[in-house]
Amino acid sequence: MAKQTDVIIIGGGVIGSSIAYNLLNDGYTGEVTVFEKDKGYEFASTPRSAGGIRQLFTTAINIQISRYSLSKYKTFEEDMKVDGDKATIDFQDRGYLFLSKDGSFQELKKQHLLQRQYQVPSQIVEKKNLLSIIPELNITDLQGGLYCAEDGYLDPYSVMQGYIRKAKQLGARYHYKEVKTILTGRNGVKGVQTTDNEIHHATVVINCAGPWGPALSGKIGLPLPVVPLKRQIIQFDIADPLEKDLPLTVDPTGVYFRHEGKHVLAGFSEKVEPGINFKWKRSFFIEQLWPILANRVPNFSQAKVKGGWAGIYSHNTIDQNAIIGVHPDMAGYYLANGFSGHGMQQAPAVGKGIAELIITGSYQTLDLTPLRFSRFKENDLIIEEAIV
Ligand SMILES: Cc1cc2nc3c(=O)[nH]c(=O)nc-3n(C[C@H](O)[C@H](O)[C@H](O)COP(=O)(O)OP(=O)(O)OC[C@H]3O[C@@H](n4cnc5c(N)ncnc54)[C@H](O)[C@@H]3O)c2cc1C
């Protein structure tokens, strides 16, 4: 017998769970059902993220999304309280810093002007002043940086669990089952079929399946320009501790690093073939990260690798930004995919936006229309320069 619900969310990672929470928190009275195939979230992108939260973007839409999301992360622990239990997310407001050399300082200055238009308190930092942020930094080849003290990093797994707990408290139903396919009819989406052949009907289905989302959409003839790309993170210890806690710092090469407790973690978007692959290698650290890290911060030259992991970016191959909203060719079929490495900092705004779209038919708080699917056909792309 087919089961009936109102909204089906495929994927209970940070995006799906933020949508479930926002729908119910905003007073949606229908039933919200989340399907999640990996109960322990072993392979989801969310717990494998670096957790960087920054407003240092170069497009109006991404700046506004991050600004809204940051405001939500600041009050997250209280807002997501369940039975008096706070949702601790370890948000460290130690700042976010892009370093520049050669001509890229001019670019950072332009980005700074745009960010200021949206009240982001970012600052241009001249070369010598970088040492007040990271006293050990090797600045010889640098021109300066772009810094936002309000930004920082958090624990992605705890954010996701915070949303899940609160969404469940508000009435969301989580089914730990895999969706085999989305069901469609002449008038739009009809529901989903799970791998154990259960049928669940709904007039709203939201694809939040992260790296697995494009394959599901492809099965119903609605391909997404999104591919899975492996991204590695390595955690290491250093012999000489740094004087100050690190902001999330992005070297001009794209290698990034931050503190994780007393350890340091670092990553880099290396060139890889698309595919789902969770193997991480020490050689990635030795060959690609360490030479850059040791040059940038001399304390990193004596690094002891403690561990690492690989996770997957859902990489939008056209303009490296999220795809949000109803699919133009399928009524009731919503997309929240293609976050290309910046989904943690977008989850609160995307959850709110999709909830508003479903409840009221339009965006109320923040207009996410620039991220619509039809932008590709209309050649109205969102070209973001600050991709990490
Ligand atoms: C190494 C790394 C570093 C990152 N660093 C940052 C960062 O610093 N800042 C930032 O903002 N973002 C970062 N990101 C990106 C961020 O983690 C993602 O954009 C975000 O977690 C995406 O969340 P999601 O819910 O869409 O996907 P996921 O967390 O992958 O959740 C999707 C869920 O869908 C489930 N699912 C899939 N298919 C099905 C199905 N058929 N049926 C049922 N369930 C299904 C999966 O099991 C999964 O749990 C990073 C990502 C990686 C990999």
Side-chain angles (χ1 to χ4, degrees):
M1 269 261 289
K3 299 184 177 163
Q4 187 66 43
T5 186
D6 296 298
V7 169
I8 289 176
I9 297 175
I10 310 173
V14 75
I15 298 293
S17 296
S18 169
I19 295 172
Y21 157 74
N22 275 285
L23 271 168
L24 295 163
N25 193 51
D26 283 2
Y28 181 69
T29 51
E31 187 180 77
V32 176
T33 302
V34 181
F35 287 93
E36 172 51 58
K37 66 173 178 169
D38 174 10
K39 192 171 182 184
Y41 292 95
E42 192 181 347
F43 300 110
S45 302
T46 302
R48 292 168 180 264
S49 162
I53 304 298
R54 63 175 154 116
Q55 299 167 84
L56 303 180
F57 280 95
T58 68
T59 53
I61 184 67
N62 282 339
I63 294 169
Q64 291 173 88
I65 286 179
S66 279
R67 191 145 179 77
Y68 174 84
S69 293
L70 176 66
S71 75
K72 291 289 150 190
Y73 281 138
K74 282 185 177 171
T75 58
F76 194 90
E77 300 199 353
E78 277 295 321
D79 296 345
M80 298 296 146
K81 235 182 191 171
V82 173
D83 300 332
D85 233 10
K86 282 190 187 178
T88 312
I89 57 169
D90 198 25
F91 179 57
Q92 306 285 350
D93 53 354
R94 295 174 179 170
Y96 205 108
L97 173 65
F98 278 98
L99 300 172
S100 76
K101 60 187 215 181
D102 309 326
S104 66
F105 199 31
Q106 283 315 316
E107 288 306 312
L108 293 187
K109 287 180 176 170
K110 270 197 240 156
Q111 296 169 10
H112 173 242
L113 290 181
L114 182 69
Q115 290 154 8
R116 298 302 293 201
Q117 276 181 39
Y118 292 95
Q119 289 75 51
V120 174
S122 56
Q123 298 161 252
I124 284 293
V125 186
E126 297 299 333
K127 179 171 173 158
K128 277 198 180 139
N129 296 337
L130 288 170
L131 296 176
S132 66
I133 304 172
I134 307 177
E136 300 83 358
L137 200 69
N138 169 13
I139 56 170
T140 45
D141 60 335
L142 296 178
Q143 279 191 315
L146 179 58
Y147 178 63
C148 185
E150 221 188 8
D151 297 350
Y153 38 92
L154 44 64
D155 176 29
Y157 181 79
S158 303
V159 169
M160 182 182 74
Q161 288 299 342
Y163 275 132
I164 293 171
R165 268 193 340 154
K166 193 70 185 175
K168 283 183 177 173
Q169 192 206 33
L170 294 171
R173 288 163 191 243
Y174 277 68
H175 290 312
Y176 293 101
K177 290 179 177 233
E178 180 170 358
V179 168
K180 181 160 77 182
T181 194
I182 298 165
L183 302 171
T184 61
R186 264 209 272 155
N187 298 324
V189 83
K190 281 174 37 185
V192 299
Q193 180 173 12
T194 55
T195 47
D196 58 1
N197 288 325
E198 274 184 12
I199 304 280
H200 293 256
H201 283 146
T203 50
V204 172
V205 173
I206 315 172
N207 185 340
C208 305
W212 300 271
L216 270 180
S217 206
K219 271 192 188 173
I220 55 165
L222 299 173
L224 306 179
V226 176
V227 296
L229 294 183
K230 178 172 98 166
R231 295 289 178 243
Q232 298 183 65
I233 291 185
I234 307 290
Q235 193 163 312
F236 59 95
D237 281 344
I238 50 176
D240 286 334
L242 303 176
E243 195 181 317
K244 292 185 170 185
D245 292 324
L246 285 166
L248 199 155
T249 307
V250 186
D251 184 80
T253 54
V255 168
Y256 63 84
F257 50 92
R258 69 161 171 88
H259 267 114
E260 172 68 27
K262 287 188 179 146
H263 316 291
V264 178
L265 63 78
F268 172 59
S269 291
E270 61 186 316
K271 210 170 163 23
V272 289
E273 288 299 316
I276 293 188
N277 169 358
F278 294 99
K279 275 201 191 118
W280 72 275
K281 291 191 176 159
R282 268 165 210 271
S283 59
F284 169 67
F285 180 76
I286 293 159
E287 290 160 16
Q288 301 203 46
L289 297 182
W290 184 74
I292 290 160
L293 291 166
N295 169 58
R296 188 56 62 214
V297 181
N299 306 47
F300 292 168
S301 58
Q302 296 212 345
K304 189 169 175 200
V305 172
K306 300 297 288 177
W309 65 86
I312 308 292
Y313 272 17
S314 297
H315 173 84
N316 167 345
T317 55
I318 301 180
D319 67 6
Q320 298 180 66
N321 278 300
I323 306 170
I324 310 289
V326 190
H327 195 292
D329 300 328
M330 180 66 65
Y333 178 45
Y334 289 70
L335 304 170
N337 205 282
F339 289 93
S340 307
H342 40 277
M344 274 317 295
Q345 52 220 324
Q346 302 205 324
V350 169
K352 181 76 173 164
I354 297 249
E356 290 174 349
L357 207 51
I358 291 168
I359 297 170
T360 71
S362 60
Y363 295 118
Q364 309 289 322
T365 305
L366 189 57
D367 183 9
L368 302 181
T369 316
L371 295 173
R372 70 200 178 281
F373 180 84
S374 62
R375 75 181 187 268
F376 306 121
K377 206 166 158 186
E378 295 158 9
N379 201 20
D380 190 13
L381 303 181
I382 302 294
I383 305 296
E384 174 57 61
E385 307 291 339
I387 297 288
V388 177

